[in-house]
Amino acid sequence: MKKNTLSLTLGLSATALAAILVLPAIAQESLLPEGFGAPADTPAPKSSPSPSPTPSPAPGSAPTNGATPPPVAPTLDSTTVGAADEESEEEEVESGGLKYDLPPGARRLLARIGPLTPETGGLAPDAFGVRGQYAAAIMRKTSGQFASRWGQILLRRALASAIDTPATINGADLAAERASLLLRMGESITARRIVQSVDYDRASPRLVAAAQQVYLANADPAGMCPYVPAGLAHGDEQAWRLSAAICAGLSGEAGPAGWAVSRVRSSGRISNFDILLAERVLGATGAGRRSTTIEWDNIDRLTSWRFGMATATAIEVPEALRTSAPYYMKGWTVLAPMTDMANRVAAAPEAAARGVLSSEAYVSLLSAAASEEEPAEALAAQTDQLRGAFSLATGAERYAAMEQLWGAGGSAPQSYAAMVATARAAAALSPGTETGGDPWRLLGSMLAGGYDANALAWVPTVSVGSRAWGVLAVGSPRALSGMSAGAVERFSDDDDSADTLRSKFLLAGLAGLGRLDADAAASAAGDLEVDLGRQTRWSRAIMTAAERREPGMVALLAAAGMQGEWSKVPPYHLYYIVRALREVGLDAEARMIAAEAVVRV
């Protein structure tokens, strides 16, 4: 049942809150789950399985889309907090002084968790199969920084899907791993949707720890309030005491709030700077000092706590700290509407290139920034060019405006972000438009937005062996005629990428899509000196998931195989990714990933 987190805090009396604040931190046994790769040094105790009632879809709990780094795997016990009796007509939910009578129909089961159904764009409930601990271990060991924009988009969709919880894992624990990985991907909004898909009183200690990071990433201190009692019992005691103080302030309880802050300060376990940020939030509630001064002079890094508290209270974060912040915080910055517009725009190119922002969302953000009273000169020039790409009189003029945008990027992510921004404008361009050369960037721009049918119309205008031909060879909805080892060789003759990586990616994509017969693929692989059939633990894992028809697991393993930059992705990884995606019915995503590889190297 969805609850307004701010209203939940209003039920805390001063006495109840004081009782919560003095709860001792309970020492927990470290969990070391079986890893993906080298086996863990210590065997891991299994999490409690989810309740056994028949799975039923969980109602959505929040509107739309996808914190020191986001939690990977807190060393906490994995038992469920506040298990409920599904058979009773009415039950009392009790947590730290909060009591509610909820009818059974308003409770959500842990048997199926996630906001997206197949009808709303999600994957099927059995998309991750039955190996719950295995899936959680892979999520935990995946960095969240992927070479492919389309790989990130697909994984976000998979992680947000309403999936059945395997019997081998607690549903709340699996939700915690999903939310934590989404945070590492920069997908703070989608991570919050996963957390909100589990009733707070059913959150396991892992999910409680993840929830704190999720609400910090969303700059929503009030969202942590329902988790304070469990956090004090199972988590970082001092951080949760500060959270309790903030929640007391939101409830109008200035006394307990001040007492909690004083106790944290006297412990000496948290820096005074982080305590001052909490006091700044309290000042905004009227329960603390309104004149708290925040000085960043001796702060050398931006943590999730600092990001969340500063963003929630509109405290300006120095540019140097934002620049050096972890990659995923760029996504959090863009998705937090209370962030200063200039900072959102600065973080937007990387977010768009990574897949956190769609083409439409990126253009909308730039338009909103340009509509402010005094936009920056560079932003004004960029939006003028973008406007021209959509609205100039002739196709040649619109294409010229796009070329200016593509060439203006100071880095590879900025250049690709410009292609993302022009996707719809590129798709609207007539195939007869004069481009003055190889239109590979135009086609790459279309496919960055998923306009594959529009790109297909350009097939008669490209030469076999050109870079544009290579993009269409793997990105078009249907196979091009005349595909052969000789055509791949002609493509490689003009390949200026390091170690002919672009040609190897083209071959991997064609072979994975089944658009090149086995003999031609073997011949081309020999010429390029690449082994697409190499067997590793990862390759066997992704093909096993494909054979088991587990698209969610395939999407997860595909992302794990594309961590880092494209230059670090082995060609045989792309081959197995494309092949596995195609085998589980994700043909369009397979094509978009293959085309992106050819465009971005």
Side-chain angles (χ1 to χ4, degrees):
M1 179 178 180
K2 182 170 68 176
K3 308 173 185 69
N4 183 300
T5 54
L6 180 56
S7 66
L8 289 175
T9 65
L10 298 179
L12 284 170
S13 66
T15 303
L17 183 66
I20 292 170
L21 294 175
V22 297
L23 284 174
I26 299 175
Q28 299 296 329
E29 182 182 5
S30 175
L31 288 181
L32 296 173
E34 181 181 353
F36 178 64
D41 295 330
T42 306
K46 293 184 179 180
S47 298
S48 304
S50 297
S52 58
T54 304
S56 61
S61 57
T64 334
N65 195 17
T68 31
V72 177
T75 55
L76 304 171
D77 181 62
S78 57
T79 54
T80 304
V81 176
D85 178 8
E86 295 295 337
E87 302 300 327
S88 62
E89 295 182 359
E90 190 176 69
E91 65 182 333
E92 182 181 61
V93 180
E94 185 170 345
S95 178
L98 296 174
K99 297 182 179 180
Y100 294 88
D101 290 328
L102 297 177
R107 305 306 306 281
R108 288 174 294 189
L109 304 181
L110 296 179
R112 181 174 295 174
I113 297 171
L116 293 184
T117 65
E119 293 74 26
T120 57
L123 301 184
D126 61 352
F128 282 85
V130 297
R131 298 172 292 171
Q133 291 288 356
Y134 178 67
I138 298 173
M139 292 177 194
R140 194 175 307 122
K141 291 181 176 292
T142 301
S143 70
Q145 188 170 23
F146 309 127
S148 171
R149 177 176 185 272
W150 278 104
Q152 164 129 347
I153 292 170
L154 173 59
L155 182 56
R156 178 181 64 214
R157 175 185 164 202
L159 293 174
S161 296
I163 60 174
D164 290 341
T165 301
T168 56
I169 191 170
N170 184 323
D173 280 349
L174 185 57
E177 300 301 346
R178 291 160 66 185
S180 297
L181 177 52
L182 284 163
L183 283 187
R184 295 194 296 277
M185 293 164 59
E187 304 283 359
S188 53
I189 292 177
T190 306
R192 181 174 61 189
R193 296 190 72 190
I194 294 297
V195 168
Q196 291 178 334
S197 294
V198 178
D199 291 336
Y200 78 87
D201 62 301
R202 287 183 172 172
S204 66
R206 286 181 183 274
L207 186 56
V208 169
Q212 185 180 56
Q213 301 301 307
V214 164
Y215 284 108
L216 288 172
N218 283 277
D220 180 13
M224 299 186 291
C225 294
Y227 304 93
V228 164
L232 286 168
H234 298 284
D236 181 346
E237 181 183 3
Q238 301 305 320
W240 278 109
R241 286 188 187 281
L242 284 181
S243 301
I246 291 170
C247 296
L250 291 169
S251 302
E253 302 285 356
W259 180 81
V261 170
S262 298
R263 182 165 181 179
V264 172
R265 181 173 275 119
S266 64
S267 74
R269 297 178 184 175
I270 290 184
S271 74
N272 191 58
F273 179 81
D274 293 324
I275 296 172
L276 288 173
L277 287 173
E279 289 184 321
R280 185 64 172 264
V281 176
L282 283 171
T285 70
R289 297 180 296 171
R290 295 178 181 272
S291 59
T292 304
T293 301
I294 304 297
E295 299 288 349
W296 296 84
D297 296 344
N298 298 318
I299 304 303
D300 60 357
R301 65 192 181 99
L302 191 61
T303 64
S304 56
W305 181 271
R306 293 164 187 173
F307 173 89
M309 296 297 156
T311 304
T313 51
I315 297 173
E316 180 62 29
V317 177
E319 183 178 355
L321 286 179
R322 286 197 179 275
T323 301
S324 62
Y327 61 90
Y328 47 78
M329 284 192 184
K330 305 288 175 50
W332 301 356
T333 298
V334 167
L335 296 177
M338 67 288 288
T339 304
D340 178 76
M341 182 61 81
N343 291 327
R344 295 182 72 192
V345 169
E350 184 171 341
R354 285 168 51 79
V356 175
L357 288 181
S358 67
S359 175
E360 182 179 358
Y362 185 30
V363 171
S364 296
L365 178 62
L366 293 177
S367 300
S371 66
E372 294 192 339
E373 288 188 8
E374 295 183 6
E377 184 177 342
L379 175 62
Q382 181 184 15
T383 51
D384 282 344
Q385 290 174 345
L386 188 57
R387 191 176 297 110
F390 282 91
S391 61
L392 285 173
T394 68
E397 289 175 317
R398 295 197 296 275
Y399 180 76
M402 291 183 219
E403 280 195 307
Q404 287 183 317
L405 284 167
W406 300 331
S411 65
Q414 289 175 329
S415 296
Y416 191 65
M419 296 173 71
V420 172
T422 58
R424 189 162 61 87
L429 211 60
S430 168
T433 302
E434 176 58 45
T435 61
D438 188 339
W440 67 270
R441 287 191 296 185
L442 180 70
L443 296 170
S445 179
M446 293 183 205
L447 296 178
Y451 295 103
D452 55 347
N454 301 74
L456 181 64
W458 284 75
V459 170
T461 71
V462 301
S463 302
V464 174
S466 66
R467 190 167 181 181
W469 171 85
V471 174
L472 285 172
V474 291
S476 65
R478 64 171 185 264
L480 306 186
S481 59
M483 195 63 61
S484 64
V488 175
E489 183 179 5
R490 290 175 62 181
F491 181 88
S492 64
D493 287 342
D494 293 328
D495 186 352
D496 59 357
S497 63
D499 195 29
T500 62
L501 183 59
R502 187 182 306 134
S503 299
K504 293 174 182 177
F505 279 159
L506 173 65
L507 174 60
L510 289 172
L513 290 169
R515 293 184 174 182
L516 201 60
D517 63 53
D519 291 340
S523 174
D527 293 340
L528 293 171
E529 299 180 344
V530 59
D531 179 12
L532 296 182
R534 180 180 175 184
Q535 291 291 311
T536 64
R537 184 173 182 180
W538 172 85
S539 69
R540 289 190 292 271
I542 194 169
M543 293 315 300
T544 297
E547 291 168 4
R548 295 166 68 110
R549 295 296 183 265
E550 298 171 352
M553 188 66 76
V554 168
L556 176 59
L557 287 163
M562 294 186 289
Q563 296 180 84
E565 304 299 326
W566 275 114
S567 60
K568 305 298 183 183
V569 177
Y572 78 92
H573 274 209
L574 182 63
Y575 164 70
Y576 282 115
I577 287 167
V578 171
R579 178 180 163 187
L581 289 173
R582 185 169 64 93
E583 288 191 12
V584 295
L586 297 172
D587 303 65
E589 288 81 357
R591 291 187 287 104
M592 295 304 101
I593 290 173
E596 183 184 346
V598 174
V599 168
R600 298 186 70 174
V601 297

